[in-house]
Amino acid sequence: MPDYGHDLRFGSFVTPAAAAPHQAVALAQLSEEVGLDLVTFQDHPYQAAFLDTWTLMSWVAARTERIRIAGNVLNLPLRPPAVLARAVASLDRLSGGRVELGLGAGGFWDPIVAMGGERLTPGESVDALSEGIDVVRGLWDTSTRDRLVAGGARHHVDGAKRGPAPAHDVEIWVGALKPRMLRLVGAKADGWLPSLAYLQSFEALATGNATIDAAAQDAGRDPRAVRRLLNVGGRFTDGGAGFLQGSPRQWAEQVAEVTLEHGVSTWIVAGDDPTTLAVVGQEVAPAARELVAAARGTAPGGPASGGPASRTTTDGEALA
């Protein structure tokens, strides 16, 4: 797949453990200190062992200054999109434009139902997510004073007042694996946010990209409008084999190769180890940016021009 030309971002995926509430906050602050661009938190409102993700995000926003903050991904079946739209816009304004919106259609239906949510079929959950995106975008659109009528059978507003608008153009990232969800990403979302552990292969990543690209084109969009993000895990070793199982330099080479070959431009590292986050922010991220910039022919660390770039392949073994 082509390089979609996006600037590289690196982030953390921190566990919102309720038993040690300030640990998640400290890891978010560390993520900022070591130069990461983004801190994210999973969202399972039915999980009693976790803090409420939106409350945690708000607290983290108040305790940081630069880093972006997002749910990874927010559980739409238990977070009404009209209320969520105002919550996102409010926190974005309060934080100086540092919030992005990761959304998921839901999947653990027994606990969702136990918390008062509606059980949906896979097809219904995709339709509901599509409706939710329309509601969120409509409420953020303050270019008109017309009251908003949007949505459908499960998520809708009928004459809602618009606003407030976020402080910046908040990106909507969708967690998706199956074809119908991937087509929704191509048609309506700003980003695709899967986990490599669920994709299981780079072939699946390529297939997902192709599905998104085709859907974007069918919707009259440039496929490059969709940022490709990826949740990953790994460990630093002296001479490991496999993806993200080696030295910081090997990580950087592998990240650069997948960025250039499969278009992944936002790398979110799961785990709560402070040393891993520090090495990613201080060593892997700068080196990967240099490799990608050299391949694209752009200034080191600078954003790309936006189009698929001519490039060479790194000598790492990212796809082994």
Side-chain angles (χ1 to χ4, degrees):
M1 292 298 297
D3 171 19
Y4 296 98
H6 294 283
D7 56 307
L8 262 67
R9 299 176 185 168
F10 292 84
S12 57
F13 194 179
V14 174
T15 305
H22 294 290
Q23 178 178 331
V25 180
L27 287 170
Q29 292 173 313
L30 175 68
S31 297
E32 179 171 81
E33 291 167 7
V34 301
L36 295 178
D37 306 290
L38 175 71
V39 58
T40 71
F41 307 95
Q42 59 187 293
D43 182 40
H44 299 286
Y46 40 76
Q47 174 55 270
F50 288 167
L51 297 166
D52 172 68
T53 296
W54 191 259
T55 304
L56 174 60
M57 288 171 56
S58 300
W59 187 272
V60 166
R63 299 294 296 273
T64 55
E65 297 179 356
R66 176 194 57 82
I67 200 163
R68 302 184 192 207
I69 303 162
N72 192 350
V73 289
L74 295 179
N75 188 292
L76 194 64
L78 291 175
R79 297 192 182 275
V83 177
L84 182 60
R86 296 222 161 103
V88 171
S90 298
L91 188 57
D92 196 55
R93 283 174 170 260
L94 288 166
S95 66
R98 294 192 287 127
V99 178
E100 310 295 353
L101 178 55
L103 285 179
F108 299 98
W109 293 106
D110 286 346
I112 287 172
V113 170
M115 286 285 287
E118 179 185 5
R119 187 184 302 275
L120 302 178
T121 67
E124 289 170 341
S125 68
V126 177
D127 290 340
L129 180 56
S130 179
E131 295 166 2
I133 291 173
D134 292 342
V135 169
V136 169
R137 290 200 191 282
L139 288 173
W140 287 347
D141 179 10
T142 57
S143 64
T144 174
R145 296 179 62 87
D146 293 344
R147 291 178 181 250
L148 178 65
V149 177
R154 288 174 176 83
H155 298 305
H156 64 274
V157 291
D158 187 6
K161 291 183 178 180
R162 299 173 190 258
H168 85 296
D169 290 333
V170 172
E171 297 179 9
I172 296 180
W173 306 330
V174 171
L177 291 174
K178 295 185 178 180
R180 189 170 176 185
M181 280 285 285
L182 293 169
R183 290 193 291 272
L184 174 61
V185 172
K188 293 188 177 183
D190 302 301
W192 177 33
L193 177 52
S195 296
L196 185 58
Y198 291 124
L199 287 172
Q200 298 185 333
S201 71
F202 289 106
E203 289 76 12
L205 183 63
T207 299
N209 275 332
T211 301
I212 291 169
D213 292 353
Q217 291 170 339
D218 288 345
R221 305 179 71 202
D222 186 335
R224 292 172 296 185
V226 182
R227 176 176 285 274
R228 317 301 160 115
L229 308 91
L230 191 63
N231 293 320
V232 297
R235 63 191 181 96
F236 294 106
T237 68
D238 292 334
F243 189 66
L244 302 186
Q245 302 290 324
S247 68
R249 180 64 185 184
Q250 287 174 312
W251 274 51
E253 291 173 347
Q254 293 172 344
V255 164
E257 184 165 342
V258 176
T259 295
L260 296 166
E261 294 299 322
H262 294 283
V264 175
S265 58
T266 298
W267 295 83
I268 303 174
V269 179
D272 301 327
D273 177 51
T275 300
T276 297
L277 298 181
V279 174
V280 171
Q282 296 173 340
E283 299 184 45
V284 174
R289 288 188 174 107
E290 288 183 2
L291 290 168
V292 171
R296 289 173 171 171
T298 59
S305 60
S310 60
R311 59 190 183 273
T312 58
T313 304
T314 69
D315 58 3
E317 296 179 351
L319 303 184

